[in-house]
Amino acid sequence: MVLSPIAGVLGGIYSVLAMDTALHHLLCMFHKAHQLSRASLASQIGCSTRSLARWEHGMTRPRMALAIRVSKVIGLSLDFLFGDTIASTGV
């Protein structure tokens, strides 16, 4: 089950997210906005709660396969989740 995009849930906060797109902030905001437990979100992504906790605390980042699942569950592109530095720097 894919939940609605975080932008639709958080409304006006979306413009603030564009400035700070760190994955750990987005994950925390998403599961709180949807009133999901960490275990529930981890189950939807297909990872352990420990892995999700590490991502939420900015200690690690998910492998590509899990990053794709995170993107689909949250409803945001990988570029947005990980910060599109190529577009913002013009490189």
Side-chain angles (χ1 to χ4, degrees):
M1 176 179 142
V2 176
L3 298 174
S4 62
I6 193 169
V9 173
L10 298 178
I13 297 175
Y14 185 71
S15 59
V16 174
L17 290 176
M19 291 182 255
D20 183 9
T21 59
L23 178 65
H24 61 281
H25 291 298
L26 293 171
L27 286 170
C28 287
M29 292 179 80
F30 183 81
H31 88 77
K32 288 177 184 176
H34 285 283
Q35 298 178 343
L36 295 170
S37 67
R38 186 175 284 145
S40 177
L41 181 56
S43 174
Q44 289 183 32
I45 294 169
C47 68
S48 69
T49 54
R50 186 173 188 175
S51 292
L52 182 58
R54 288 180 178 177
W55 304 340
E56 287 181 343
H57 289 97
M59 297 169 60
T60 61
R61 286 187 165 191
R63 298 182 328 261
M64 182 55 73
L66 288 175
I68 291 169
R69 289 185 201 162
V70 169
S71 173
K72 288 180 180 180
V73 169
I74 291 180
L76 295 172
S77 71
L78 289 172
D79 286 342
F80 190 85
L81 288 176
F82 291 99
D84 186 357
T85 56
I86 293 173
S88 64
T89 60
V91 175

